[in-house]
Amino acid sequence: MKRVKAVLGDDPEIAFAEKRYNMIGEILEECLTKTETGMTFSDKLDKVLLNKYLGIPIFLILVWALFQFSIEASGVFMAIIETALVTVGEFFGTLLAGNEMAASLVQDGIFGGFAFILPFLAPIFLMFLGIAWLEDSGYFARAAFVMDKLLRKLGVHGKTFIPMMLGFGCNIPAIMACRSIEGEKDRMISILSNPYISCGARLPVYVLFAAAFFPGFEGSVIFSMYILGLAVAIFTAWLLRKTFFKGEPEPFIMELPIYRVPTLRASVLHMWERGVVFLKKAGTWLFLGAIILWFMSAFGPAGYLGIDPDVSVSYTGILGGLIQPIFAPLGFDWRLGAALIFAFLAKEIAVESLGIIFAIEGDIAIGGALAGVFSPATAAAFMIFILLYIPCVAAVGTIKSETNSWKWTLFSVVYSIIIAYVIAAIAFALLSAIGLGVIGGA
Amino acid sequence: MTVRVALIGNPNVGKSVIFNNLVPGARQHVGNWPGKTVEKKTGKYRYNGEEYELVDLPGCYSLTARAVDELVSRTYILEEKPDVVVNIVDASNVERNLYLTLLLMELEANIVVALNQMDVAKSKGYTIRTEKLASRLGIPVVETIATQKVGMEMLKKAIENAAKSPKPAFLTYPSDIEDLIEKLVTILSVDASLVTHHPARWLAIKLIERDKEVLEMIQGTALDSKIEEVFA
Amino acid sequence: METKLSDLRPGNTATVTKVTGSGAVKRRIADMGITPGARIEMIRNAPLGDPIEFKVRGYLLTLRRSEAEDVMVSTEVQM
Ligand SMILES: Nc1nc2c(ncn2[C@@H]2O[C@H](COP(=O)(O)OP(=O)(O)OP(=O)(O)O)[C@@H](O)[C@H]2O)c(=O)[nH]1
Ligand SMILES: [Mg+2]
């Protein structure tokens, strides 16, 4: 009787795969004719983008261009939205001139907070657009190919870079995308390191603070936040590999798709798809949030605080005051403390809550008001803290569902707060040492 | 009754674009890198008065799962046994894509092949004789260009036909392998519970390949020693 | 001449003769089309030298050097 070994040799598994490919070969012999077309567009592009010397510089330029694009190009849109809102705001202002409290709710809460944040949605959308464009082009897999060696030295799988790039848009789909990472350890490392990648929702905070405290250097300041986020993500992945998930990264076996020219329509559709999720959040959380925040900031245990009050005695002030002592060494006051608490819901709420607090206090030009209360060193520490501490509630929920573990979710939250504090403190100390620790001193 | 249809194929071949085309209002995420869809997504469409429940699955290269998302596809095909399996094949990369087709044929699934990305295949200089391919495989093959919505009507028609007159795929290997398969099938057929759950020929092939999970299924049963004889 | 897949240089074409290595990875490599008899072309190294890009069965596949070391190939010409 014939045995498996006699037919398929020592390695029946591989031999069987070979048989299947042989059958395919026979079928295609009859069904497929190939005409030589020479180098395809895709091949030509790879000759440049994956070139030994150009590959890495092009990668860096592309990432840099992504930020430049979303920040620079958004200026126009921000200005348009702002102008439109001012007009609407003035209209409502005259309409409600009679009722002090209602006027404050609308002007300080809705316009100072909710409408204040709307222009900042422009850079977020453009960031989505840029990422959609990269995603559709076919460059994502190439980025993993280019970065694998570097990451692997740190014990991180090159494919982890794909969720990282997605994270620049939003950490939630990025953390979900970790499911296609092979090997449980590699997948866990990818999930737990992703929250430090700076998502679009952090962008409003940077844009606001960079313009107020580092005029002329906005671009570099914002870009360095992204680099810092990436560095912390990679450091965290390295740390996890060295401690809880010891071992070698999984093998790297990845297909490179052909390049496709992303159509504007498809990319805009993409941006919209991700943007709509964002807008829904904005429509509910940010709007409702503005009303609640206004109430918490315009009222205190003593009741309505009146016109241009001392907001520190409001509920918001009390709440912010609770955690403020921890941040006192960094120069945070109760306002920034409160912003940190609210921003746990969604990071862009930090901007909204600051907008409302300053508006109630009577400061409409929040940029100038910020610079009058905080030093550039404090501003940097705050940006860093916003970048690194606990991602938003929704992302924490995603970490829970993807790791399927409360233990790791809790770890992620606690670790993020510690690392955020440590790095913010270091930055504060360094900037103070070079004279940026004084209020009004940029 | 609702017809259950699964979309399966290698990563990045256009499954989600096709899903979005067929299911009104569907918005599955699409992009040009392998591994976007990571969980199964269900949607419904109607065609000629009949209701179809379509499932968009994560891409996979074979049915031996290496990542969580691939496991979803494997489990769905093996356990849920959809009425029609639509295998999306990238025409510009047919050689590797047909590998999964053969694996699905081994499972004796009721398959329809959608030969997608015909535009890319053409620009690569590929000419595919679709009818010949269909007859060689013994499976209906429909040409599509998902991004331009080309071939969607034909695809729906082919799915309808497959649902109305199901025809399990059948794959014949060279005679030396067929001998082995036959021997194992005879042994396996003794265990009725085993072969009602999965096709006997498929189990035989997996045994020859020393597939871990199928080996575990057999382990400890009365068949164990008889099977080992075929290998010894 | 028999060599490892990892020893091919850009532009070299070879025929796969044997796939070794450990279980699951070996299986995946074979599923992806690297089986005995397959024609394979080395396209390029990644900018940092690793992984390596190959063309096999009409598509582009990337493998780390360590994975490519487990595939034996035969080349017609002296390298
Ligand atoms: N030119 C062309 N491009 C296509 C066609 N079908 C899909 N695409 C593109 O192929 C890419 C992948 O499409 P998806 O639908 O996301 O692929 P998928 O099979 O769902 O991929 P995974 O979910 O990652 O497994 C996208 O960039 C599509 O625009 C087609 O027929 N022609
Ligand atoms: Mg998909």
Side-chain angles (χ1 to χ4, degrees):
Chain A
M1 154 164 148
K2 260 199 165 170
R3 306 295 158 103
V4 170
K5 201 166 169 170
V7 179
L8 291 165
D10 290 331
D11 201 343
E13 197 180 13
I14 301 303
F16 220 108
E18 182 187 348
K19 293 275 179 204
R20 291 193 189 102
Y21 271 108
N22 288 346
M23 286 180 75
I24 294 169
E26 280 163 27
I27 294 170
L28 290 181
E29 189 108 335
E30 294 173 40
C31 306
L32 173 69
T33 38
K34 296 182 188 177
T35 12
E36 208 37 66
T37 49
M39 271 231 288
T40 63
F41 161 72
S42 214
D43 295 337
K44 285 181 197 153
L45 207 54
D46 268 340
K47 261 197 145 30
V48 182
L49 296 186
L50 297 180
N51 178 280
K52 191 171 174 184
Y53 305 104
L54 297 175
I56 301 270
I58 287 179
F59 166 74
L60 294 174
I61 290 170
L62 272 175
V63 175
W64 183 79
L66 177 66
F67 304 111
Q68 272 327 80
F69 166 71
S70 49
I71 292 159
E72 295 298 324
S74 61
V76 193
F77 296 107
M78 288 182 75
I80 295 173
I81 303 174
E82 268 163 24
T83 318
L85 289 171
V86 167
T87 322
V88 184
E90 278 164 1
F91 170 72
F92 274 100
T94 47
L95 206 70
L96 295 167
N99 187 331
E100 184 189 305
M101 209 190 289
S104 169
L105 170 63
V106 170
Q107 295 228 296
D108 303 336
I110 307 297
F111 283 93
F114 178 66
F116 177 65
I117 179 111
L118 288 184
F120 291 99
L121 297 182
I124 301 180
F125 268 70
L126 288 179
M127 180 64 83
F128 284 154
L129 182 65
I131 288 169
W133 197 85
L134 274 185
E135 209 183 307
D136 286 350
S137 70
Y139 190 72
F140 263 32
R142 267 106 185 151
F145 175 65
V146 169
M147 294 301 286
D148 180 64
K149 175 143 188 208
L150 198 71
L151 291 177
R152 195 188 168 210
K153 282 210 172 121
L154 301 164
V156 185
H157 197 285
K159 270 193 199 168
T160 302
F161 209 69
I162 293 179
M164 284 186 177
M165 305 262 283
L166 284 172
F168 288 132
C170 174
N171 299 109
I172 294 167
I175 291 169
M176 307 257 303
C178 296
R179 285 193 203 174
S180 63
I181 302 227
E182 292 140 19
E184 200 47 26
K185 285 182 185 173
D186 286 31
R187 194 175 71 88
M188 289 294 280
I189 289 176
S190 307
I191 293 172
L192 295 171
S193 59
N194 197 279
Y196 308 100
I197 298 295
S198 188
C199 69
R202 277 107 147 174
L203 201 47
V205 182
Y206 309 155
V207 173
L208 176 66
F209 277 72
F213 293 92
F214 306 97
F217 301 96
E218 291 103 324
S220 327
V221 168
I222 296 175
F223 191 57
S224 46
M225 296 305 293
Y226 279 92
I227 298 297
L228 177 65
L230 194 59
V232 172
I234 293 174
F235 168 78
T236 303
W238 171 82
L239 195 69
L240 288 168
R241 174 65 82 196
K242 285 276 170 237
T243 52
F244 299 108
F245 302 103
K246 283 205 175 81
E248 277 293 299
E250 290 285 312
F252 188 96
I253 306 170
M254 189 185 67
E255 173 183 8
L256 293 185
I258 58 158
Y259 287 104
R260 296 180 211 273
V261 182
T263 60
L264 188 65
R265 192 178 154 269
S267 302
V268 168
L269 218 68
H270 255 159
M271 171 186 81
W272 194 242
E273 183 186 299
R274 293 242 149 109
V276 154
V277 179
F278 209 86
L279 277 185
K280 274 189 190 146
K281 190 172 74 172
T284 49
W285 290 25
L286 291 183
F287 188 76
L288 267 173
I291 295 175
I292 296 170
L293 277 167
W294 172 81
F295 176 79
M296 288 183 70
S297 311
F299 288 81
Y304 182 59
L305 301 175
I307 289 185
D308 298 351
D310 174 8
V311 182
S312 70
V313 301
S314 70
Y315 292 115
T316 300
I318 293 167
L319 198 62
L322 282 180
I323 65 161
Q324 186 272 339
I326 310 169
F327 295 101
L330 306 180
F332 291 16
D333 67 354
W334 59 271
R335 295 185 192 89
L336 295 185
L340 283 182
I341 293 178
F342 296 130
F344 174 50
L345 293 176
K347 296 225 163 160
E348 69 274 22
I349 289 188
V351 169
E352 189 181 58
S353 50
L354 288 173
I356 292 176
I357 294 170
F358 281 108
I360 292 178
E361 286 180 335
D363 286 306
I364 292 302
I366 173 176
L370 280 172
V373 201
F374 306 114
S375 70
T378 296
F382 183 73
M383 283 159 78
I384 291 171
F385 207 86
I386 282 284
L387 162 67
L388 299 176
Y389 92 118
I390 335 176
C392 63
V393 190
V396 173
T398 311
I399 296 175
K400 164 67 182 67
S401 60
E402 295 301 300
T403 58
N404 199 15
S405 146
W406 281 115
K407 192 188 100 196
W408 282 113
T409 310
L410 189 70
F411 166 85
S412 175
V413 167
V414 173
Y415 169 85
S416 75
I417 295 176
I418 296 171
I419 199 139
Y421 195 90
V422 170
I423 297 181
I426 293 172
F428 181 80
L430 287 177
L431 290 175
S432 300
I434 59 165
L436 290 176
V438 247
I439 293 169
Chain B
M1 217 190 71
T2 312
V3 183
R4 289 158 56 248
V5 184
L7 291 179
I8 192 166
N10 286 178
N12 211 36
V13 296
K15 297 177 293 297
S16 297
V17 180
I18 289 191
F19 182 88
N20 290 346
N21 284 349
L22 295 188
V23 176
R27 286 202 173 206
Q28 275 289 76
H29 185 71
V30 168
N32 186 17
W33 49 282
K36 295 163 299 289
T37 306
V38 290
E39 57 189 348
K40 62 173 194 267
K41 167 85 186 177
T42 308
K44 286 192 170 136
Y45 72 90
R46 293 193 74 83
Y47 184 70
N48 286 345
E50 205 69 54
E51 191 178 61
Y52 294 82
E53 186 186 270
L54 195 63
V55 181
D56 184 18
L57 292 170
C60 55
Y61 292 106
S62 73
L63 295 168
T64 327
R66 298 228 326 124
V68 188
D69 56 345
E70 286 183 312
L71 192 62
V72 172
S73 300
R74 177 196 159 97
T75 312
Y76 192 83
I77 295 296
L78 286 183
E79 306 301 330
E80 307 274 319
K81 303 200 174 73
D83 301 319
V84 182
V85 172
V86 178
N87 176 207
I88 318 286
V89 164
D90 176 358
S92 70
N93 190 354
V94 268
E95 195 175 353
R96 197 207 59 222
N97 273 250
L98 284 176
Y99 186 80
L100 180 66
T101 312
L102 296 197
L103 295 174
L104 293 168
M105 289 174 75
E106 288 172 2
L107 269 171
E108 293 164 30
N110 185 24
I111 309 171
V112 171
V113 166
L115 206 50
N116 193 37
Q117 305 205 25
M118 286 303 287
D119 56 332
V120 184
K122 197 172 160 206
S123 73
K124 229 179 154 183
Y126 284 17
T127 316
I128 300 174
R129 297 169 62 200
T130 309
E131 273 158 37
K132 183 87 200 171
L133 182 64
S135 80
R136 279 298 311 255
L137 294 171
I139 298 175
V141 180
V142 181
E143 293 183 13
T144 60
I145 306 175
T147 38
Q148 296 167 27
K149 297 196 168 73
V150 172
M152 294 301 120
E153 190 58 31
M154 296 278 279
L155 181 58
K156 283 195 252 188
K157 187 81 210 158
I159 294 172
E160 181 188 39
N161 290 342
K164 285 208 168 119
S165 38
K167 185 167 154 276
F170 191 84
L171 189 62
T172 319
Y173 280 103
S175 60
D176 48 351
I177 294 186
E178 280 299 325
D179 285 348
L180 293 174
I181 295 176
E182 204 179 302
K183 256 178 231 155
L184 286 166
V185 166
T186 321
I187 301 172
L188 286 165
S189 301
V190 176
D191 191 333
S193 74
L194 207 61
V195 293
T196 46
H197 220 77
H198 298 293
R201 282 177 59 86
W202 179 76
L203 288 170
I205 292 168
K206 291 293 128 181
L207 281 177
I208 295 172
E209 289 185 289
R210 310 304 276 166
D211 181 272
K212 251 203 351 242
E213 279 172 55
V214 173
L215 280 175
E216 274 164 19
M217 276 190 222
I218 306 295
Q219 224 163 41
T221 64
L223 309 176
D224 211 358
S225 60
K226 279 196 180 149
I227 288 168
E228 278 316 308
E229 267 175 40
V230 184
F231 285 90
Chain C
M1 194 186 75
E2 180 110 305
T3 51
K4 289 177 183 166
L5 182 57
S6 53
D7 292 334
L8 296 186
R9 306 182 58 74
N12 287 161
T13 303
T15 306
V16 176
T17 53
K18 196 168 168 49
V19 185
T20 59
S22 69
V25 181
K26 178 174 74 176
R27 175 64 198 252
R28 170 50 57 99
I29 288 178
D31 286 344
M32 298 296 279
I34 301 190
T35 57
R39 298 287 291 160
I40 189 162
E41 182 188 350
M42 148 67 163
I43 305 288
R44 62 169 65 82
N45 289 310
L48 297 172
D50 198 22
I52 314 173
E53 179 184 344
F54 299 100
K55 186 167 201 166
V56 65
R57 311 237 178 236
Y59 79 101
L60 301 174
L61 179 67
T62 58
L63 298 177
R64 277 201 202 113
R65 195 161 292 278
S66 50
E67 273 81 67
E69 276 169 2
D70 288 336
V71 177
M72 296 304 293
V73 295
S74 83
T75 51
E76 295 74 37
V77 286
Q78 203 71 28
M79 286 190 304

